């Protein structure tokens, strides 16, 4: 995904560009020395910012200007034009900003601005505890410190690794095309530098919502003033004989991924059980390692339930083009040593088996504590649970979605991070409703699929462009209303769809 290694392109902005090249609403990419810089005129004001997104280096000039923000075309991060702040995930680090001057019919980019230090906020005596070191938990901790939260932050995670870029575990890192140092969301020093007490391999056993106290696996207790539950989801394990063998894996953590990579080094053939996002991304990543891959799944078409038949057929064809063997409308009934037994009586010899049949939200902690549960932890639009001062975010949270008007729970990286960010601000006393259009992306070989909105059921699908040619916008509608939009290489339309959904929800 990284790009932009060819050196700076476009005009030298220190020498100025004609005013006429920059009408209102225009974005122009150029450079200052080695820095690639985006020059923007929005509502009469000129801005100069880094030209590439701080997430995976998306080209912001291909994005969208919305209010006082620029939105990244690849995974919809929002940056403030004024300060460069990454206001909405998945980008977390700010863009650099430069001073701009307009004179004698030209626009000049001048020196780099010095980033402002945040004012401290809240009481130094306050203690916020975050349970979970994943997308939502990390984004919350980062936002608390970014906005100057003065109190203590403790992050408890039963994972052995500090927060990682989980989506990478089924993509570039698994494929062997991303180095290990891409995987952590921040280096180990960052936590101490930011006074975040990160306790890894720490299981939270129970929560007493009334006395605001957690009991850890070793029976020690931790008191909190505010709490964020961000315990995510765990992969569903299949109840079939042979599933507990060392070459049978699920994929959630860095340790899971490392174990698959280790065995993949000597593997000739892999069986992936489940044509889910994780199953199929795993298939693509292992094909990049030149391993024979067989995908076994009960459905007729991969991902049809989410994307409909046209994209389902496309995804199947794409994987077949890359050599994946599908065994659809079938399942694995047993794994006898290295032999996977199919329901239809066939067998496939496999050195490694990866199970990708979905996940279950980890809600036991909240449930046992008596918090309101509705196939997830119920929260209001400020991500607060039924217990005052206790928040939930990410894969476990069921929230009132402003876009669909329904209470939904999704398993998307960007949603988890943004909910963590909203929860952080609410915990700091800055009222912040979570009203983003749900967004996820999935990557299969060189084909990214973006999806905005939420459609569990639809009555019609409109397709603009050509799915098989990898150039399309697919709209899922119910009663004529667009619920969700999937797209391939139509980033602008995807961004515009998200903005239209958010605007419609704001008016409703
Ligand atoms: C391999 C993979 C690829 C993915 N790719 C994409 C993608 O391309 N696009 C997309 O939108 N989404 C993707 N997802 C989904 C996305 O990663 C999740 O939606 C997101 O991580 C959810 O964030 P979370 O904070 O809710 O949970 P998580 O990120 O799972 O974090 C949960 C944390 O809680 C900890 N924890 C749980 N219970 C306890 C306890 N009792 N005590 C202490 N700690 C506990 C866990 O150890 C973990 O640190 C992918 C997921 C996986 C596994
Ligand atoms: S590259 Fe910009 S949001 Fe991912």
């Amino acid at each position: 995904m990284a790009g932009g290694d060819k050196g700076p392109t476009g005009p030298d902005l220190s020498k100025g560009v004609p005013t006429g090249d920059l009408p209102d609403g225009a974005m122009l990419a150029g450079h200052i020395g080695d820095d690639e810089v985006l020059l923007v005129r929005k509502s009469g004001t000129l801005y100069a910012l880094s030209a590439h997104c701080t997430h995976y280096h998306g080209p912001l000039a291909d994005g969208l200007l919305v209010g006082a923000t620029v939105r990244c075309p690849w995974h919809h991060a929002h940056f403030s034009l004024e300060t460069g702040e990454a206001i909405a995930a998945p980008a977390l680090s700010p863009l650099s900003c430069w001073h701009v001057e307009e004179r004698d019919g030209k626009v000049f980019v001048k020196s780099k601005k010095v980033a402002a230090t945040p004012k401290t906020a809240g009481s130094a005596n306050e203690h916020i505890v975050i349970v979970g070191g994943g997308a939502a938990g990390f984004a919350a901790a980062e936002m608390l410190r970014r906005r100057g939260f003065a109190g203590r932050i403790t992050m408890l995670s039963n994972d052995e690794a500090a927060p990682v870029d989980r989506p990478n575990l089924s993509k570039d890192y698994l494929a062997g095309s991303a180095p290990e140092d891409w995987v952590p969301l921040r280096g180990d020093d960052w936590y101490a530098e930011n006074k975040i007490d990160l306790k890894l391999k720490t299981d939270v056993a129970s929560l007493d919502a009334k006395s605001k106290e957690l009991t850890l696996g070793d029976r020690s207790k931790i008191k909190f003033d505010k709490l964020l539950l961000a315990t995510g989801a765990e992969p569903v394990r299949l109840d079939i004989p042979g599933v507990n063998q060392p070459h049978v894996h699920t994929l959630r953590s860095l340790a899971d991924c490392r174990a698959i990579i280790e065995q993949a080094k000597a593997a000739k053939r892999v069986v992936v059980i489940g044509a889910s996002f994780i199953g199929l991304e795993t298939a693509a990543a292992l094909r990049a390692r030149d391993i024979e891959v067989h995908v076994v799944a009960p459905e007729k078409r991969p991902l049809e339930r989410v994307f409909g038949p046209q994209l389902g057929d496309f995804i199947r064809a794409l994987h077949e083009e890359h050599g994946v063997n599908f065994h659809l409308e079938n399942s694995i009934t047993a794994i006898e040593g290295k032999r996977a037994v199919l329901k239809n009586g066939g067998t496939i010899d496999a050195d490694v088996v990866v199970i990708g049949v979905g996940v279950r939200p980890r809600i036991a902690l909240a449930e046992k504590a008596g918090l309101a549960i509705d196939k997830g932890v119920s929260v209001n639009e400020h991500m607060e649970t039924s217990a005052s001062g206790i928040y939930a975010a990410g894969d476990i949270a069921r929230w009132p979605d402003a876009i669909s008007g329904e209470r939904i729970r999704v398993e998307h990286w960007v949603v988890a991070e943004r909910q963590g960010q909203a929860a952080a601000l609410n915990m700091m006393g800055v009222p912040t409703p979570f009203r983003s259009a749900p967004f996820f992306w999935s990557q299969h070989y060189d084909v990214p699929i973006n999806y905005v909105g939420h459609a569990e059921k639809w009555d019609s699908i409109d397709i603009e462009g050509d799915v098989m040619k990898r150039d399309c916008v697919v709209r899922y509608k119910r009663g004529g209303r667009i619920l969700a939009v999937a797209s391939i290489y139509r980033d602008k339309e995807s961004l515009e769809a998200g903005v239209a959904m958010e605007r419609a929800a704001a008016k409703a």
Side-chain angles (χ1 to χ4, degrees):
M1 276 270 184
D5 298 331
K6 293 175 222 126
T9 51
D12 181 347
L13 300 174
S14 67
K15 295 193 172 139
V17 290
T19 293
D21 290 359
L22 216 69
D24 205 53
M27 293 194 266
L28 194 154
H31 67 98
I32 295 282
D34 286 339
D35 289 318
E36 297 199 64
V37 174
L38 183 71
L39 196 48
V40 176
R41 195 193 295 272
K42 181 78 206 297
S43 307
T45 306
L46 286 162
Y47 305 94
L49 316 106
S50 319
H52 287 94
C53 177
T54 56
H55 179 228
Y56 285 176
H57 217 65
L60 295 175
D62 296 341
L64 200 64
L65 294 173
V66 182
T69 68
V70 57
R71 302 197 174 183
C72 177
W74 286 0
H75 316 113
H76 296 199
H78 308 179
F79 294 95
S80 158
L81 291 172
E82 188 67 46
T83 63
E85 183 183 356
I87 296 169
L92 298 167
S93 301
L95 302 172
S96 298
C97 297
W98 283 260
H99 294 282
V100 192
E101 193 179 278
E102 188 166 24
R103 66 179 149 80
D104 309 327
K106 277 189 158 187
V107 178
F108 298 86
V109 175
K110 311 294 282 184
S111 58
K112 206 181 249 190
K113 289 184 184 171
V114 178
T117 338
K119 289 190 198 126
T120 51
S123 151
N125 297 326
E126 204 176 356
H127 186 200
I128 291 182
V129 175
I130 297 169
V131 185
F138 178 83
E142 195 275 342
M143 184 56 88
L144 286 167
R145 284 296 181 239
R146 191 201 298 184
R147 293 293 173 92
F149 174 64
R152 283 168 62 207
I153 302 175
T154 303
M155 191 191 282
L156 308 167
S157 170
N158 59 12
D159 201 333
E160 63 194 50
V164 296
D165 182 2
R166 209 177 292 293
N168 222 314
L169 301 182
S170 54
K171 302 180 183 69
D172 293 342
Y173 182 63
L174 182 60
S177 51
E180 174 104 11
D181 62 8
W182 276 25
V183 176
L185 289 175
R186 288 286 188 269
D188 288 343
D189 296 347
W190 183 86
Y191 298 91
E193 282 163 11
N194 285 278
K195 297 194 171 56
I196 294 167
D197 188 5
L198 172 63
K199 294 184 195 300
L200 298 173
K201 296 189 219 166
T202 303
D203 197 43
V204 177
S206 66
L207 155 66
D208 185 331
K210 270 211 182 104
S211 61
K212 298 204 162 176
E213 190 173 69
L214 295 167
T215 304
L216 306 187
D218 64 3
R219 298 187 178 206
S220 60
K221 312 256 186 205
I222 294 191
K223 285 258 187 206
F224 59 84
D225 297 302
K226 305 249 170 63
L227 176 74
L228 174 63
L229 294 172
T231 46
E234 64 200 339
V236 173
R237 296 283 301 187
L238 287 176
D239 188 16
I240 55 171
V243 86
N244 291 322
Q245 300 177 83
H247 68 294
V248 182
H249 304 267
T250 52
L251 175 54
R252 184 80 191 179
S253 64
L254 178 58
D256 296 337
C257 190
R258 282 190 179 135
I260 296 171
I261 291 172
E262 204 40 48
Q263 292 184 358
K265 285 179 188 161
K268 289 201 167 55
R269 191 181 295 149
V270 171
V271 164
V272 173
I273 307 181
S276 60
F277 286 106
I278 288 179
L280 291 172
E281 289 188 350
T282 298
L286 295 176
R287 285 300 299 138
R289 290 179 178 266
D290 223 9
I291 297 168
E292 187 180 319
V293 176
H294 293 256
V295 174
V296 183
E299 54 266 42
K300 205 163 145 196
R301 288 188 180 92
L303 300 178
E304 181 176 8
R305 197 179 52 79
V306 183
F307 284 143
Q310 299 87 350
L311 268 174
D313 282 342
F314 164 72
I315 288 165
R316 177 181 179 160
L318 176 65
H319 281 271
E320 282 177 339
E321 223 173 82
H322 285 82
V324 171
N325 303 284
F326 281 97
H327 305 262
L328 297 172
E329 298 181 85
N330 214 331
S331 58
I332 299 289
T333 54
I335 305 165
E336 295 169 350
K338 296 237 160 153
R339 177 163 299 186
V341 181
L342 293 159
K343 190 176 155 197
N344 70 359
T347 59
I348 310 168
D349 287 341
D351 304 302
V352 178
V353 176
V354 181
I355 303 174
V357 294
V359 296
R360 211 175 275 127
R362 282 189 270 219
I363 57 171
L365 205 54
E367 198 166 20
K368 277 196 269 163
L371 305 187
I373 300 292
D374 170 17
K375 290 180 272 167
V377 181
S378 294
V379 294
N380 61 22
E381 69 168 357
H382 292 92
M383 309 315 297
E384 195 168 22
T385 68
S386 55
S388 163
I390 299 181
Y391 296 74
D395 285 3
I396 58 168
R398 183 171 295 275
W399 84 99
D401 173 36
I403 313 293
S404 61
E406 289 165 14
R407 296 188 62 83
I408 66 171
R409 187 186 71 75
V410 300
E411 290 146 8
H412 306 344
W413 180 255
V414 172
V415 171
E417 287 189 317
R418 289 186 186 173
Q419 289 186 342
Q421 293 178 324
L425 294 170
N426 287 312
M427 288 192 290
M428 282 176 73
V430 182
T432 309
F434 175 75
R435 290 185 188 148
S436 282
F439 169 82
F440 74 82
W441 81 98
S442 184
Q443 181 84 24
H444 304 255
Y445 313 95
D446 57 340
V447 180
I449 306 177
N450 282 1
Y451 182 100
V452 63
H454 182 74
E456 276 171 31
K457 284 193 189 117
W458 54 82
D459 52 34
S460 69
I461 296 180
D462 278 4
I463 299 179
E464 191 187 309
D466 189 327
V467 175
M468 288 297 171
K469 286 191 177 149
R470 307 165 186 201
D471 171 28
C472 62
V473 179
V474 182
R475 298 186 179 89
Y476 304 86
K477 294 182 174 177
R478 197 165 57 216
R481 184 168 155 237
I482 299 172
L483 302 177
V485 175
S487 60
I488 300 176
Y489 290 123
R490 295 283 195 102
D491 294 337
K492 218 44 153 309
E493 282 102 320
S494 175
L495 280 166
E496 283 165 352
V499 173
M501 287 174 194
E502 288 170 4
R503 286 192 177 145
K507 275 195 207 142

